[in-house]
């Protein structure tokens, strides 16, 4: 069974999956508030039927009120009283951090920053107080250049080009972040995980990358309880992990190693082996901490390689976050169809299947990656896996398709 990708942007609408990708569909109303969708694959001519029930007929419920579990509240209380600063001061710092995080944006690409720097420098050149003048001494001109650079840096920071990754060096810093984001993170993750009620999916193993407050555990535990056998929490911050462990002890926060779930493991980095895969991997507000698009793609590939069923990406509702998640979604979909030509030739030669027709398909540059993949898939036995950049996946939610985002396309066509 192919892996699936679940891409959800917090605070954006969720769309029920209602059609097969790349199929021509026609719908007819059925009885009992049911719509029958007939889909035809344009390549294989295979037909599929999908019964869509009306929203009123759905048995799963989506809630919008997410109070923290009692054990989480008790664990947080007992963890906070061990801090060196009093709770009132910690809460004040948490309120300030909440304001900062609400304005936090993804780091701008290097090209954008350099272009902004050039534009600012052009504007400063019109100001005589920052230009080089032979009438003044070298020290005065150096001071003017220093002031010009300082001014450029100030303007860039005002334009949100001052991104820095979050760091938590002390236990008190971790406590402030918990007070600021614990409940919000929990509500975001739980709202997203509710989408799995549509397919009655219950994971056996869960990996929370960038675990932080362990909101993924608390949300998953609220959803599935003891049905989940293993949790793997990964966060590079040692202080954050220690504080999260104290909270996970719940009301039994006496320094013992007993957590509210019997099998929760912590690591600072991803395990190097790809042998152990997880039914559900969640990356919640993680990609904003990476400085470049390439580093995000590297992390996404590493997570996807360890995904057995679903990969969930969650971030804020800001435009930068939306664009970043759309880019990551597109990579998963497109890279899954990107054939490694040399590896495929070697594989087909070894199996005695390489003929002139297959060579022509592999070498035809006029074909898109998607077309090449399905043409090869028709000619090659199903039990022979095609070597692609990553394992093939598809979107589960909120998009009902694997095509380009129509909202972005519609905006591009507006004049």
């Amino acid at each position: 069974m192919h892996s699936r990708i679940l891409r959800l942007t917090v605070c954006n609408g969720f769309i029920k999956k209602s059609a097969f990708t790349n199929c021509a569909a026609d719908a007819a109303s059925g009885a009992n508030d049911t719509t029958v969708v007939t889909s035809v694959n344009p390549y294989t001519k295979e037909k599929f039927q999908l019964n869509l029930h009306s929203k009123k007929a759905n048995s799963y419920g989506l809630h919008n009120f997410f109070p923290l579990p009692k054990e989480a509240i008790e664990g947080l209380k007992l963890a906070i009283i061990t801090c060196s600063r009093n709770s009132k001061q910690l809460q004040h710092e948490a309120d300030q951090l909440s304001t900062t995080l609400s304005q936090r944006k993804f780091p701008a690409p290097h090209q954008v920053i350099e272009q902004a720097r050039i534009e600012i420098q052009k504007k400063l050149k019109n100001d005589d107080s920052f230009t080089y003048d032979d009438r003044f001494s070298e020290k005065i001109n150096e001071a003017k250049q220093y002031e010009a650079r300082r001014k450029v840096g100030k303007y860039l920071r005002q334009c949100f080009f001052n991104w820095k990754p979050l760091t938590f060096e002390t236990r008190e810093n971790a406590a402030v972040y918990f007070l600021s984001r614990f409940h919000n993170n929990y509500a975001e993750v739980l709202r997203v995980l509710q989408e799995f009620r549509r397919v009655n999916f219950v994971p056996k193993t869960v990996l929370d990358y960038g675990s932080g407050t362990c909101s993924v555990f608390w949300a998953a535990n609220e959803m599935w309880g003891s049905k989940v056998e293993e949790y793997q929490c990964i966060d590079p911050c040692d202080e954050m992990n220690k504080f999260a462990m104290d909270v996970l002890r719940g009301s039994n926060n006496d320094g013992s190693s007993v957590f509210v779930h019997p099998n929760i493991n912590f690591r600072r980095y991803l395990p190097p082996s790809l042998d152990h895969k997880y039914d559900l991997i969640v990356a919640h507000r993680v990609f904003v901490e990476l400085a470049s698009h390439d580093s995000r793609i590297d992390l996404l590939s590493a997570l996807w390689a360890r995904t057995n069923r679903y990969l969930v990406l969650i971030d804020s509702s800001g435009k930068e976050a939306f664009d970043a998640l759309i880019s990551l979604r597109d990579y998963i979909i497109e890279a899954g169809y990107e054939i490694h030509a040399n590896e495929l030739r070697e594989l087909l030669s070894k199996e005695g299947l390489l003929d002139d027709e297959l060579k022509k398909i592999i070498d035809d540059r006029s074909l898109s990656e998607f077309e090449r993949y399905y043409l090869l898939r028709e000619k090659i036995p199903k039990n022979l896996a095609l070597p692609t950049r990553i394992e093939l996946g598809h979107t589960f939610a909120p998009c009902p398709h694997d095509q380009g985002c129509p909202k972005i396309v519609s905006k591009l066509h507006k004049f």
Side-chain angles (χ1 to χ4, degrees), residues 110-357:
H110 178 72
Q111 300 88 337
V112 175
I113 296 176
E114 289 304 313
Q115 184 62 34
R117 188 187 301 276
I118 292 172
E119 294 297 327
I120 295 171
Q121 288 174 344
K122 287 181 180 179
K123 292 180 180 179
L124 291 179
K125 283 183 179 180
N126 298 327
D127 190 343
D128 294 337
S129 60
F130 296 111
T131 57
Y132 186 90
D133 195 331
D134 294 334
R135 294 175 297 175
F136 298 106
S137 66
E138 191 67 27
K139 286 188 176 181
I140 293 178
N141 282 317
E142 288 180 1
K144 291 168 69 175
Q145 293 299 315
Y146 172 79
E147 181 63 19
R149 290 194 297 270
R150 191 188 68 82
K151 204 80 171 178
V152 170
K154 180 180 178 181
Y155 285 144
L156 287 175
R157 288 191 295 273
Q158 290 175 346
C159 296
F160 296 100
F161 293 123
N162 59 337
W163 173 89
K164 291 182 180 179
L166 292 177
T167 56
F168 305 96
E169 298 177 353
T170 66
R171 181 177 179 82
E172 286 67 35
N173 293 149
V176 167
Y177 183 77
F178 259 80
L179 289 171
S180 173
R181 291 298 311 173
F182 189 21
H183 193 190
N184 295 338
N185 290 353
Y186 169 79
E188 290 174 359
V189 176
L190 184 54
R191 175 62 185 86
V192 170
L193 295 186
Q194 284 186 343
E195 292 294 310
F196 286 121
R197 290 179 176 174
R198 296 192 285 133
V199 291
N200 297 321
F201 169 69
V202 179
K204 295 294 184 182
T205 55
V206 176
L207 186 146
D208 178 9
Y209 187 85
S211 54
T213 61
C214 286
S215 55
V216 172
F217 161 75
W218 289 106
N221 192 57
E222 183 71 15
M223 276 277 295
W224 299 300
S226 59
K227 294 178 181 178
V228 180
E229 298 175 358
E230 177 192 357
Y231 288 95
Q232 182 70 258
C233 300
I234 298 179
D235 197 291
C237 180
D238 192 45
E239 288 296 336
M240 185 66 72
N241 286 335
K242 291 178 181 178
F243 197 91
M245 290 179 191
D246 289 342
V247 176
L248 283 170
R249 294 187 177 97
S251 56
N252 188 32
N253 198 343
D254 55 0
S256 66
S257 59
V258 179
F259 297 146
V260 295
H261 188 279
N263 194 4
I264 307 176
N265 305 302
F266 281 82
R267 295 178 63 100
R268 296 187 64 184
Y269 304 102
L270 279 172
S273 175
L274 298 178
D275 295 335
H276 185 39
K277 296 191 176 184
Y278 298 85
D279 293 340
L280 174 64
I281 295 182
V282 182
H284 177 233
R285 291 183 178 257
V286 169
F287 292 95
V288 70
E289 302 303 324
L290 301 178
S292 67
H293 176 72
D294 291 341
S295 59
R296 293 180 210 125
I297 291 296
D298 291 341
L299 173 59
L300 181 67
S301 300
L303 295 178
W304 187 246
R306 293 164 174 81
T307 302
N308 184 35
R309 293 292 302 281
Y310 291 92
L311 171 62
V312 181
L313 310 180
I314 310 174
D315 216 287
S316 69
S317 58
K319 182 181 182 303
E320 293 81 5
F322 174 79
D323 292 340
L325 291 190
I326 283 291
S327 176
L328 297 175
R329 166 193 179 270
D330 292 345
Y331 173 80
I332 288 288
I333 295 171
E334 294 169 4
Y337 294 111
E338 189 174 322
I339 298 291
H340 285 170
N342 293 333
E343 293 183 21
L344 181 59
R345 288 192 188 93
E346 293 178 4
L347 177 63
L348 294 177
S349 298
K350 183 179 179 181
E351 298 292 332
L353 299 173
L354 188 61
D355 55 22
D356 292 338
E357 185 179 5

Side-chain angles (χ1 to χ4, degrees), residues 3-60:
S3 298
R4 303 176 181 179
I5 180 173
L6 170 66
R7 196 272 307 166
L8 290 162
T9 307
V10 176
C11 298
N12 280 6
F14 298 94
I15 305 174
K16 184 176 180 181
K17 189 170 184 180
S18 59
F20 288 93
T21 304
N22 304 313
C23 295
D26 60 277
S29 297
N32 301 323
D33 297 323
T34 300
T35 299
V36 179
V37 177
T38 302
S39 305
V40 181
N41 190 309
Y43 296 101
T44 64
K45 304 302 180 183
E46 293 179 324
K47 293 185 178 181
F48 306 90
Q49 279 194 343
L50 182 66
N51 295 328
L52 302 180
H53 300 280
S54 67
K55 188 174 182 180
K56 182 174 63 176
N58 289 334
S59 59
Y60 63 91

Side-chain angles (χ1 to χ4, degrees), residues 22 41-44 333-334 336-339 344 357-358 360-380 386 392 403:
N22 304 313
N41 190 309
Y43 296 101
T44 64
I333 295 171
E334 294 169 4
Y337 294 111
E338 189 174 322
I339 298 291
L344 181 59
E357 185 179 5
L358 289 177
K360 184 178 179 181
I361 296 175
I362 295 173
D363 297 331
D364 191 349
R365 295 186 177 182
S366 64
L367 295 175
S368 67
E369 296 294 345
F370 178 82
E371 292 171 331
R372 180 179 290 105
Y373 178 89
Y374 275 102
L375 287 174
L376 291 170
R377 188 71 280 174
E378 289 179 358
K379 305 293 183 182
I380 298 174
L386 300 181
L392 183 64
Q403 303 302 308

